[in-house]
């Protein structure tokens, strides 16, 4: 499948953004499913475009659903909790580093 130049745009911040069609193609899903994910708040578009991290999230959700048999809400919760754990670990490491330099 080939895409026109309108498949991607660059945001004001300099990030590449992609169409729903491109996201569906890359994640081997459908545009309809991408739109459902947007409507349910599972992924967050920027207008009618998606950031690379949102496309990666679609792929991760699909793998969790296929490999572990999770439903959409369960897969989204797993990814949200994993992100929160990573954030907490980073905060803990920063706190430990700070404490070791103060003591």
């Amino acid at each position: 499948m080939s895409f026109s130049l309108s498949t991607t745009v660059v945001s004001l911040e300099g990030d590449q953004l992609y169409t729903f069609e491109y996201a569906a193609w890359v994640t081997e899903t459908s545009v309809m499913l991408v739109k459902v994910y947007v409507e349910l708040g599972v992924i967050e578009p920027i207008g009618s475009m998606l950031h690379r991290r949102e496309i990666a999230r679609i792929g991760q959700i699909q793998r969790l659903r296929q490999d572990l048999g999770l439903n959409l809400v369960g897969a989204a919760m797993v990814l949200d909790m994993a992100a929160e754990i990573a954030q907490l670990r980073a905060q803990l490491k920063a706190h430990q580093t700070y404490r070791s330099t103060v003591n």
Side-chain angles (χ1 to χ4, degrees):
M1 176 179 238
S2 64
F3 291 97
S4 66
L5 292 176
S6 62
T7 301
T8 63
V9 298
V10 178
S11 71
L12 295 175
E13 294 80 24
D15 297 327
Q16 262 192 310
L17 303 175
Y18 302 88
T19 62
F20 290 4
E21 291 81 8
Y22 179 81
W25 178 71
V26 168
T27 59
E28 299 179 355
T29 60
S30 67
V31 173
M32 179 77 84
L33 185 60
V34 173
K35 289 179 179 180
V36 168
Y37 285 8
V38 169
E39 289 173 15
L40 294 175
V42 175
I43 59 172
E44 297 179 20
I46 300 170
S48 62
M49 305 294 282
L50 294 172
H51 193 277
R52 181 176 290 136
R53 71 179 163 267
E54 298 302 321
I55 296 173
R57 185 173 170 89
I58 293 169
Q60 292 168 330
I61 289 170
Q62 290 301 105
R63 282 191 297 282
L64 288 169
R65 293 183 76 193
Q66 292 167 0
D67 296 349
L68 300 179
L70 298 178
N71 64 22
L72 177 59
V73 173
M77 287 178 65
V78 165
L79 293 178
D80 291 344
M81 288 189 310
E84 187 172 345
I85 289 169
Q87 181 182 15
L88 290 170
R89 284 182 176 162
Q91 289 175 352
L92 178 61
K93 184 176 181 177
H95 178 71
Q96 289 172 335
T97 300
Y98 172 76
R99 285 189 55 170
S100 68
T101 59
V102 172
N103 292 334

XYZ file of all heavy atoms in Angstrom:
806
model
N 0.846 -1.172 0.000
C 0.000 0.000 0.000
C 0.891 1.235 0.000
O 1.860 1.314 0.729
C -0.887 -0.032 1.251
C -1.757 1.171 1.424
S -2.780 1.030 2.897
C -4.364 1.191 2.143
N 0.574 2.198 -0.817
C 1.364 3.425 -0.845
C 0.528 4.583 -0.315
O -0.698 4.556 -0.370
C 1.829 3.725 -2.262
O 0.713 3.978 -3.083
N 1.208 5.575 0.209
C 0.536 6.716 0.806
C 1.013 7.996 0.151
O 2.153 8.101 -0.271
C 0.818 6.779 2.314
C 0.157 5.673 3.073
C 0.854 4.528 3.392
C -1.167 5.774 3.448
C 0.245 3.502 4.080
C -1.784 4.752 4.131
C -1.083 3.618 4.453
N 0.130 8.951 0.103
C 0.489 10.258 -0.451
C 1.210 11.074 0.607
O 1.294 10.677 1.768
C -0.776 10.991 -0.896
O -1.571 11.295 0.229
N 1.693 12.217 0.215
C 2.388 13.089 1.156
C 1.483 13.556 2.276
O 1.946 13.933 3.339
C 2.969 14.296 0.412
C 4.104 13.982 -0.555
C 4.511 15.251 -1.304
C 5.292 13.393 0.169
N 0.174 13.526 2.066
C -0.752 13.982 3.101
C -0.930 12.971 4.228
O -1.675 13.204 5.153
C -2.115 14.307 2.486
O -2.670 13.144 1.923
N -0.220 11.849 4.168
C -0.293 10.842 5.217
C 0.290 11.363 6.518
O -0.169 11.009 7.583
C 0.467 9.570 4.795
O -0.110 9.093 3.595
C 0.367 8.502 5.849
N 1.298 12.195 6.441
C 1.939 12.734 7.629
C 2.006 14.251 7.537
O 2.072 14.813 6.460
C 3.368 12.183 7.818
O 4.165 12.592 6.721
C 3.372 10.686 7.945
N 1.992 14.863 8.686
C 2.217 16.301 8.807
C 3.133 16.516 9.994
O 3.334 15.624 10.807
C 0.897 17.103 9.002
C -0.022 16.950 7.810
C 0.199 16.693 10.276
N 3.663 17.696 10.108
C 4.534 18.037 11.234
C 3.789 19.033 12.109
O 3.262 20.030 11.628
C 5.875 18.624 10.750
C 6.744 19.029 11.926
C 6.600 17.625 9.862
N 3.734 18.730 13.407
C 3.045 19.605 14.351
C 3.873 20.861 14.604
O 5.041 20.950 14.201
C 2.806 18.880 15.681
O 4.028 18.715 16.376
N 3.284 21.808 15.303
C 3.996 23.033 15.657
C 5.216 22.746 16.522
O 6.183 23.495 16.514
C 3.052 23.993 16.377
C 1.888 24.530 15.543
C 0.959 25.375 16.401
C 2.405 25.332 14.364
N 5.164 21.645 17.279
C 6.291 21.251 18.141
C 7.358 20.491 17.370
O 8.379 20.116 17.928
C 5.795 20.390 19.310
C 4.900 21.117 20.295
C 3.463 21.241 19.800
O 3.023 20.419 18.961
O 2.785 22.178 20.237
N 7.107 20.214 16.104
C 8.081 19.491 15.290
C 7.888 17.991 15.260
O 8.709 17.273 14.689
N 6.814 17.494 15.869
C 6.542 16.056 15.875
C 5.809 15.653 14.604
O 4.940 16.377 14.131
C 5.668 15.672 17.076
C 6.347 15.939 18.404
O 7.582 15.806 18.472
O 5.646 16.275 19.367
N 6.142 14.486 14.084
C 5.402 13.983 12.940
C 4.076 13.422 13.417
O 4.012 12.719 14.422
C 6.182 12.893 12.213
C 6.913 13.416 11.011
C 7.428 12.301 10.144
O 8.073 11.396 10.653
N 7.165 12.375 8.863
N 3.014 13.725 12.695
C 1.684 13.219 12.989
C 1.205 12.425 11.782
O 1.551 12.734 10.646
C 0.723 14.374 13.281
C 1.137 15.305 14.424
C 0.164 16.472 14.524
C 1.225 14.552 15.736
N 0.386 11.406 12.049
C -0.021 10.477 11.006
C -1.545 10.378 10.929
O -2.242 10.537 11.925
C 0.566 9.089 11.309
C 2.071 9.104 11.414
C 2.696 9.370 12.629
C 2.858 8.874 10.294
C 4.083 9.399 12.720
C 4.239 8.903 10.382
C 4.848 9.169 11.598
O 6.206 9.206 11.681
N -2.041 10.014 9.756
C -3.475 9.858 9.556
C -3.976 8.578 10.226
O -3.205 7.658 10.500
C -3.827 9.781 8.060
O -3.186 8.618 7.503
C -3.402 11.033 7.318
N -5.287 8.540 10.442
C -5.907 7.324 10.967
C -5.690 6.162 10.002
O -5.495 5.025 10.429
C -7.405 7.530 11.188
C -7.760 8.445 12.329
C -6.811 9.117 13.077
C -9.090 8.629 12.668
C -7.155 9.962 14.122
C -9.454 9.469 13.711
C -8.482 10.126 14.434
N -5.725 6.441 8.716
C -5.528 5.399 7.705
C -4.144 4.773 7.823
O -3.985 3.559 7.751
C -5.736 5.970 6.292
C -7.161 6.337 5.975
C -7.578 7.708 6.527
O -6.706 8.469 7.037
O -8.777 8.010 6.461
N -3.133 5.631 8.005
C -1.771 5.124 8.164
C -1.664 4.295 9.443
O -1.068 3.221 9.449
C -0.771 6.283 8.193
C 0.651 5.828 8.382
C 1.389 5.348 7.310
C 1.254 5.873 9.634
C 2.691 4.912 7.470
C 2.556 5.440 9.811
C 3.268 4.954 8.733
O 4.551 4.514 8.908
N -2.254 4.786 10.537
C -2.222 4.059 11.811
C -2.869 2.689 11.659
O -2.356 1.689 12.171
C -2.919 4.868 12.894
N -4.003 2.635 10.953
C -4.694 1.361 10.747
C -3.826 0.405 9.926
O -3.734 -0.789 10.239
C -6.032 1.605 10.052
N -3.173 0.931 8.916
C -2.323 0.101 8.069
C -1.140 -0.457 8.857
O -0.855 -1.651 8.805
C -1.846 0.912 6.869
C -0.933 0.157 5.962
C -1.258 -0.875 5.130
C 0.472 0.366 5.812
N -0.148 -1.323 4.463
C 0.936 -0.575 4.863
C 1.374 1.249 6.376
C 2.266 -0.643 4.474
C 2.699 1.182 5.979
C 3.134 0.236 5.043
N -0.458 0.405 9.603
C 0.734 -0.003 10.360
C 0.382 -1.037 11.438
O 1.135 -1.969 11.677
C 1.412 1.234 11.002
C 2.460 0.839 12.022
C 2.025 2.101 9.928
N -0.766 -0.864 12.082
C -1.147 -1.752 13.184
C -2.009 -2.922 12.719
O -2.464 -3.707 13.545
C -1.891 -0.969 14.278
O -3.066 -0.365 13.707
C -0.996 0.083 14.899
N -2.216 -3.005 11.413
C -3.009 -4.087 10.827
C -4.404 -4.158 11.434
O -4.909 -5.229 11.773
C -2.281 -5.429 10.933
C -0.956 -5.442 10.203
C -0.215 -6.751 10.320
O -0.661 -7.655 11.054
O 0.839 -6.865 9.670
N -5.019 -2.983 11.605
C -6.388 -2.897 12.090
C -7.202 -2.173 11.023
O -6.811 -2.153 9.872
C -6.459 -2.133 13.437
O -5.951 -0.808 13.237
C -5.672 -2.816 14.529
N -8.286 -1.583 11.417
C -9.110 -0.829 10.473
C -9.235 0.615 10.948
O -9.047 0.912 12.129
C -10.503 -1.452 10.372
O -11.195 -1.293 11.593
N -9.572 1.485 10.023
C -9.796 2.884 10.377
C -10.961 2.971 11.360
O -10.928 3.765 12.300
C -10.071 3.729 9.111
C -10.470 5.143 9.482
C -8.854 3.732 8.205
N -11.961 2.130 11.170
C -13.114 2.110 12.064
C -12.671 1.804 13.502
O -13.105 2.466 14.437
C -14.131 1.069 11.610
C -15.334 0.974 12.516
S -16.480 2.310 12.273
C -17.382 1.679 10.897
N -11.767 0.836 13.670
C -11.285 0.496 15.013
C -10.474 1.647 15.598
O -10.611 1.952 16.789
C -10.444 -0.780 14.978
C -9.987 -1.302 16.336
C -11.183 -1.627 17.230
C -9.113 -2.523 16.173
N -9.665 2.291 14.799
C -8.902 3.456 15.278
C -9.869 4.524 15.772
O -9.678 5.103 16.843
C -7.971 4.008 14.172
C -7.326 5.316 14.616
C -6.901 2.985 13.802
N -10.932 4.768 15.023
C -11.929 5.763 15.433
C -12.643 5.352 16.712
O -12.935 6.200 17.564
C -12.930 5.993 14.308
C -12.333 6.737 13.130
C -13.342 6.938 12.013
C -12.719 7.695 10.858
N -13.674 7.897 9.755
N -12.909 4.062 16.874
C -13.523 3.579 18.117
C -12.591 3.841 19.290
O -13.020 4.306 20.350
C -13.871 2.072 18.011
C -14.225 1.487 19.372
C -15.011 1.855 17.025
N -11.298 3.570 19.112
C -10.322 3.827 20.175
C -10.322 5.306 20.552
O -10.215 5.644 21.731
C -8.927 3.394 19.745
C -8.676 1.903 19.754
C -9.704 0.981 19.966
C -7.415 1.394 19.542
C -9.453 -0.381 19.968
C -7.157 0.034 19.553
C -8.187 -0.852 19.769
O -7.935 -2.190 19.786
N -10.425 6.176 19.555
C -10.468 7.614 19.818
C -11.739 7.965 20.588
O -11.696 8.671 21.600
C -10.380 8.424 18.502
C -10.698 9.896 18.747
C -9.002 8.270 17.874
N -12.878 7.463 20.125
C -14.158 7.766 20.770
C -14.196 7.297 22.221
O -14.782 7.959 23.078
C -15.310 7.131 19.990
C -15.575 7.790 18.661
C -16.598 7.046 17.817
O -17.314 6.173 18.356
O -16.669 7.340 16.611
N -13.552 6.162 22.495
C -13.533 5.629 23.858
C -12.446 6.263 24.724
O -12.355 5.987 25.915
C -13.345 4.106 23.818
C -14.493 3.324 23.188
C -14.129 1.850 23.094
C -15.779 3.513 23.988
N -11.603 7.090 24.113
C -10.545 7.749 24.869
C -9.332 6.879 25.121
O -8.498 7.206 25.962
N -9.215 5.785 24.397
C -8.080 4.877 24.566
C -6.817 5.471 23.949
O -5.718 5.261 24.440
C -8.404 3.498 23.945
C -7.218 2.572 23.999
C -9.601 2.880 24.658
N -6.991 6.217 22.860
C -5.894 6.964 22.251
C -6.355 8.404 22.091
O -7.554 8.673 22.023
C -5.443 6.378 20.893
C -6.599 6.346 19.891
C -4.812 5.016 21.083
C -6.183 5.961 18.496
N -5.395 9.321 22.063
C -5.713 10.740 21.988
C -5.170 11.338 20.696
O -3.963 11.468 20.533
C -5.118 11.475 23.188
C -5.697 11.008 24.503
C -5.083 11.723 25.702
O -4.510 12.814 25.523
O -5.183 11.173 26.803
N -6.072 11.707 19.795
C -5.620 12.314 18.539
C -5.273 13.782 18.726
O -5.643 14.408 19.721
C -6.840 12.168 17.631
C -7.989 12.273 18.578
C -7.528 11.589 19.842
N -4.572 14.303 17.768
C -4.325 15.742 17.673
C -5.095 16.165 16.428
O -4.624 15.949 15.307
C -2.821 16.050 17.571
C -2.106 15.519 18.805
C -2.592 17.544 17.375
C -0.603 15.555 18.724
N -6.277 16.676 16.640
C -7.183 16.935 15.521
C -7.602 15.611 14.923
O -8.124 14.744 15.615
N -7.305 15.432 13.651
C -7.620 14.165 12.988
C -6.348 13.368 12.699
O -6.328 12.505 11.832
C -8.377 14.431 11.689
O -7.558 15.188 10.817
N -5.296 13.652 13.453
C -4.004 12.990 13.253
C -3.569 12.317 14.556
O -4.073 12.634 15.632
C -2.946 14.003 12.814
C -3.302 14.813 11.581
S -3.404 13.842 10.083
C -1.679 13.649 9.679
N -2.607 11.410 14.426
C -2.094 10.687 15.594
C -0.581 10.829 15.697
O 0.127 10.788 14.691
C -2.440 9.196 15.489
C -3.913 8.842 15.549
C -4.106 7.364 15.234
C -4.495 9.175 16.907
N -0.113 10.952 16.921
C 1.323 10.953 17.210
C 1.811 9.503 17.152
O 1.045 8.564 17.354
C 1.547 11.543 18.610
C 2.965 11.867 18.894
N 3.867 10.924 19.325
C 3.653 13.030 18.796
C 5.049 11.487 19.494
N 4.938 12.765 19.177
N 3.076 9.336 16.918
C 3.678 7.997 16.847
C 3.398 7.178 18.111
O 3.147 5.978 18.037
C 5.181 8.133 16.621
C 5.896 6.808 16.500
C 7.364 6.979 16.188
N 7.483 7.465 14.821
C 8.303 8.446 14.445
N 9.058 9.042 15.317
N 8.363 8.825 13.190
N 3.418 7.813 19.280
C 3.181 7.062 20.524
C 1.768 6.496 20.581
O 1.548 5.443 21.174
C 3.505 7.925 21.740
C 2.536 9.046 21.989
C 2.882 9.871 23.239
N 2.183 11.131 23.193
C 2.673 12.263 22.694
N 3.904 12.292 22.230
N 1.963 13.361 22.672
N 0.809 7.187 19.980
C -0.569 6.686 19.965
C -0.695 5.487 19.024
O -1.423 4.541 19.311
C -1.550 7.790 19.564
C -1.568 8.968 20.513
C -1.914 8.612 21.948
O -2.787 7.751 22.167
O -1.309 9.203 22.867
N 0.046 5.536 17.926
C 0.046 4.388 17.014
C 0.694 3.187 17.701
O 0.201 2.061 17.600
C 0.754 4.734 15.694
C -0.030 5.843 14.966
C 0.911 3.497 14.809
C 0.652 6.389 13.732
N 1.766 3.422 18.433
C 2.411 2.344 19.186
C 1.444 1.778 20.226
O 1.384 0.563 20.436
C 3.676 2.861 19.864
N 0.657 2.650 20.851
C -0.320 2.202 21.845
C -1.372 1.298 21.201
O -1.768 0.291 21.793
C -0.966 3.407 22.521
C -1.916 3.060 23.647
C -2.369 4.337 24.363
N -3.435 4.099 25.289
C -3.299 3.771 26.563
N -2.076 3.648 27.075
N -4.336 3.566 27.350
N -1.807 1.638 19.995
C -2.762 0.774 19.293
C -2.156 -0.621 19.112
O -2.804 -1.631 19.388
C -3.155 1.365 17.923
C -3.943 2.657 18.097
C -3.967 0.345 17.115
C -4.146 3.440 16.803
N -0.914 -0.657 18.665
C -0.239 -1.944 18.484
C -0.100 -2.723 19.778
O -0.308 -3.944 19.804
N 0.226 -2.031 20.864
C 0.355 -2.701 22.158
C -0.987 -3.254 22.617
O -1.068 -4.374 23.135
C 0.902 -1.720 23.193
C 2.326 -1.311 22.947
C 2.750 -0.136 23.816
O 1.945 0.709 24.181
N 4.039 -0.081 24.124
N -2.034 -2.483 22.438
C -3.373 -2.940 22.819
C -3.749 -4.172 22.006
O -4.266 -5.152 22.553
C -4.417 -1.817 22.635
C -4.216 -0.739 23.702
C -5.844 -2.372 22.687
C -5.019 0.526 23.475
N -3.475 -4.134 20.712
C -3.801 -5.278 19.865
C -3.059 -6.533 20.328
O -3.639 -7.611 20.379
C -3.478 -4.975 18.400
C -4.396 -3.949 17.771
C -5.848 -4.386 17.821
O -6.631 -3.876 18.612
N -6.206 -5.343 17.008
N -1.781 -6.386 20.676
C -1.008 -7.542 21.147
C -1.562 -8.073 22.460
O -1.679 -9.285 22.651
C 0.469 -7.182 21.280
C 1.188 -7.164 19.941
C 2.688 -7.081 20.093
N 3.128 -5.857 20.747
C 3.215 -4.663 20.168
N 2.862 -4.528 18.910
N 3.633 -3.612 20.826
N -1.907 -7.180 23.394
C -2.474 -7.630 24.668
C -3.804 -8.338 24.459
O -4.097 -9.332 25.131
C -2.656 -6.439 25.624
C -1.377 -5.854 26.205
C -1.675 -4.536 26.907
C -0.736 -6.849 27.164
N -4.584 -7.844 23.549
C -5.879 -8.468 23.270
C -5.691 -9.839 22.627
O -6.361 -10.798 23.000
C -6.716 -7.566 22.378
C -7.119 -6.273 23.091
C -8.006 -5.420 22.251
N -9.345 -6.023 22.282
C -10.328 -5.685 21.461
N -10.137 -4.778 20.540
N -11.497 -6.269 21.561
N -4.772 -9.936 21.681
C -4.568 -11.203 20.979
C -3.796 -12.214 21.818
O -4.174 -13.379 21.905
C -3.837 -10.957 19.656
C -4.672 -10.206 18.656
C -3.863 -9.698 17.475
O -2.652 -9.900 17.399
N -4.519 -9.014 16.555
N -2.706 -11.774 22.439
C -1.831 -12.697 23.161
C -2.386 -13.117 24.517
O -2.219 -14.260 24.933
C -0.444 -12.083 23.358
C 0.285 -11.850 22.040
O -0.187 -12.349 20.992
O 1.314 -11.153 22.048
N -3.006 -12.179 25.228
C -3.494 -12.475 26.577
C -5.008 -12.588 26.669
O -5.542 -12.887 27.733
C -3.004 -11.399 27.556
C -1.489 -11.256 27.690
C -1.147 -10.148 28.667
C -0.844 -12.569 28.110
N -5.689 -12.276 25.579
C -7.139 -12.374 25.580
C -7.832 -11.277 26.371
O -8.992 -11.442 26.770
N -7.129 -10.163 26.602
C -7.741 -9.068 27.354
C -8.756 -8.337 26.490
O -8.609 -8.266 25.271
C -6.672 -8.078 27.813
C -5.603 -8.602 28.766
C -4.595 -7.507 29.080
C -6.231 -9.123 30.037
N -9.765 -7.781 27.128
C -10.677 -6.925 26.377
C -10.038 -5.550 26.243
O -8.978 -5.279 26.798
C -12.066 -6.872 27.022
C -12.060 -6.251 28.404
O -11.158 -5.508 28.774
N -13.081 -6.551 29.180
N -10.702 -4.671 25.506
C -10.134 -3.348 25.220
C -9.860 -2.558 26.489
O -8.784 -1.985 26.662
C -11.076 -2.574 24.297
C -10.677 -1.149 23.964
C -9.319 -1.100 23.302
C -11.724 -0.517 23.070
N -10.814 -2.540 27.400
C -10.644 -1.782 28.644
C -9.501 -2.365 29.470
O -8.672 -1.627 30.005
C -11.961 -1.763 29.451
C -11.759 -1.137 30.810
C -13.052 -1.035 28.678
N -9.423 -3.682 29.545
C -8.347 -4.330 30.295
C -6.982 -4.020 29.709
O -6.030 -3.730 30.445
N -6.877 -4.070 28.391
C -5.602 -3.775 27.737
C -5.194 -2.329 27.980
O -4.021 -2.043 28.272
C -5.704 -4.064 26.240
N -6.139 -1.411 27.878
C -5.840 0.004 28.125
C -5.398 0.216 29.571
O -4.466 0.977 29.837
C -7.050 0.868 27.801
N -6.051 -0.476 30.502
C -5.676 -0.353 31.917
C -4.272 -0.881 32.159
O -3.501 -0.279 32.913
C -6.682 -1.090 32.805
C -8.009 -0.378 32.928
S -9.201 -1.293 33.936
C -8.392 -1.252 35.533
N -3.917 -1.987 31.545
C -2.568 -2.551 31.694
C -1.529 -1.541 31.224
O -0.528 -1.300 31.906
C -2.436 -3.886 30.928
C -0.976 -4.290 30.775
C -3.222 -4.985 31.621
N -1.767 -0.928 30.064
C -0.811 0.050 29.541
C -0.733 1.284 30.427
O 0.364 1.814 30.663
C -1.178 0.442 28.115
C -1.044 -0.668 27.082
C -1.472 -0.171 25.709
C 0.372 -1.214 27.036
N -1.871 1.742 30.928
C -1.873 2.907 31.821
C -1.121 2.606 33.110
O -0.341 3.427 33.598
C -3.305 3.351 32.131
C -4.014 3.954 30.924
O -3.337 4.312 29.937
O -5.255 4.054 30.974
N -1.353 1.413 33.678
C -0.659 1.044 34.912
C 0.839 0.877 34.668
O 1.655 1.275 35.508
C -1.260 -0.227 35.504
C -2.626 -0.002 36.102
S -3.317 -1.383 37.045
C -3.137 -2.754 35.960
N 1.225 0.314 33.539
C 2.645 0.163 33.219
C 3.315 1.528 33.102
O 4.437 1.723 33.589
C 2.815 -0.631 31.924
N 2.632 2.482 32.486
C 3.188 3.837 32.373
C 3.308 4.487 33.748
O 4.310 5.165 34.037
C 2.312 4.683 31.455
N 2.316 4.284 34.594
C 2.361 4.861 35.933
C 3.485 4.235 36.761
O 4.199 4.946 37.483
C 1.017 4.666 36.642
C 0.944 5.392 37.960
C -0.451 5.377 38.578
O -1.425 5.061 37.879
O -0.539 5.685 39.778
N 3.673 2.938 36.649
C 4.762 2.264 37.362
C 6.111 2.807 36.895
O 7.000 3.076 37.708
C 4.678 0.733 37.176
C 3.486 0.180 37.967
C 5.979 0.058 37.611
C 3.146 -1.264 37.639
N 6.273 2.989 35.595
C 7.532 3.532 35.063
C 7.782 4.938 35.597
O 8.913 5.283 35.967
C 7.499 3.538 33.532
N 6.723 5.741 35.671
C 6.852 7.098 36.194
C 7.230 7.068 37.673
O 8.098 7.823 38.123
C 5.550 7.860 35.997
C 5.608 9.287 36.486
C 4.274 10.016 36.317
O 3.242 9.388 36.091
N 4.306 11.316 36.435
N 6.607 6.198 38.448
C 6.916 6.089 39.870
C 8.345 5.600 40.098
O 9.033 6.084 41.001
C 5.913 5.161 40.562
C 4.489 5.710 40.697
C 3.545 4.613 41.168
C 4.455 6.904 41.632
N 8.792 4.672 39.282
C 10.174 4.185 39.388
C 11.167 5.305 39.101
O 12.190 5.424 39.782
C 10.412 3.015 38.445
C 9.809 1.729 38.928
C 10.100 0.594 37.995
N 9.571 -0.653 38.542
C 9.355 -1.736 37.837
N 9.644 -1.751 36.540
N 8.864 -2.818 38.410
N 10.860 6.126 38.102
C 11.741 7.248 37.769
C 11.779 8.255 38.911
O 12.842 8.777 39.264
C 11.275 7.919 36.479
N 10.625 8.518 39.529
C 10.574 9.438 40.669
C 11.339 8.877 41.851
O 12.062 9.613 42.538
C 9.123 9.711 41.067
C 8.369 10.559 40.078
C 6.896 10.691 40.450
O 6.391 10.034 41.358
N 6.189 11.543 39.720
N 11.198 7.581 42.093
C 11.927 6.949 43.196
C 13.430 7.027 42.957
O 14.195 7.356 43.872
C 11.484 5.493 43.354
C 12.192 4.683 44.434
C 11.968 5.300 45.813
C 11.724 3.235 44.405
N 13.851 6.759 41.748
C 15.277 6.823 41.434
C 15.803 8.243 41.613
O 16.888 8.448 42.166
C 15.521 6.350 40.003
C 16.976 6.289 39.639
C 17.183 5.719 38.261
C 18.675 5.670 37.961
N 18.941 5.070 36.663
N 15.039 9.238 41.167
C 15.454 10.636 41.332
C 15.548 10.988 42.807
O 16.483 11.668 43.245
C 14.474 11.563 40.625
N 14.591 10.511 43.596
C 14.606 10.767 45.044
C 15.817 10.102 45.692
O 16.492 10.717 46.527
C 13.306 10.266 45.676
C 13.245 10.442 47.153
N 13.105 11.685 47.734
C 13.325 9.549 48.171
C 13.106 11.535 49.057
N 13.221 10.251 49.337
N 16.096 8.862 45.323
C 17.244 8.156 45.891
C 18.549 8.838 45.493
O 19.462 8.938 46.312
C 17.242 6.692 45.424
C 16.133 5.878 46.062
C 16.001 4.496 45.453
O 16.380 4.264 44.311
N 15.417 3.583 46.210
N 18.641 9.297 44.267
C 19.845 10.002 43.811
C 20.021 11.295 44.607
O 21.128 11.626 45.049
C 19.757 10.301 42.300
O 19.629 9.080 41.607
C 20.969 11.055 41.824
N 18.923 12.014 44.790
C 18.960 13.253 45.558
C 19.418 12.980 46.988
O 20.276 13.688 47.514
C 17.586 13.932 45.551
C 17.512 15.115 46.476
C 18.100 16.317 46.102
C 16.870 15.023 47.707
C 18.034 17.418 46.959
C 16.810 16.104 48.555
C 17.385 17.293 48.183
O 17.343 18.376 49.035
N 18.846 11.971 47.611
C 19.203 11.641 49.007
C 20.660 11.243 49.128
O 21.328 11.572 50.107
C 18.313 10.536 49.544
C 16.918 11.046 49.861
C 16.127 10.034 50.579
N 16.845 9.601 51.768
C 16.320 8.852 52.710
N 15.083 8.445 52.603
N 17.019 8.468 53.749
N 21.183 10.538 48.111
C 22.589 10.104 48.209
C 23.543 11.277 48.025
O 24.662 11.254 48.545
C 22.884 9.012 47.180
O 22.826 9.522 45.877
N 23.127 12.318 47.320
C 23.993 13.484 47.154
C 23.898 14.422 48.351
O 24.849 15.150 48.633
C 23.638 14.267 45.869
O 22.292 14.694 45.924
C 23.879 13.429 44.636
N 22.770 14.415 49.049
C 22.592 15.283 50.237
C 23.304 14.690 51.436
O 23.858 15.427 52.252
C 21.077 15.488 50.526
C 20.863 16.195 51.834
C 20.425 16.244 49.396
N 23.298 13.378 51.550
C 23.902 12.738 52.731
C 25.356 12.590 52.616
O 26.210 12.590 52.118
C 23.269 11.360 52.971
C 21.825 11.495 53.407
O 21.444 12.518 53.966
N 21.047 10.478 53.130
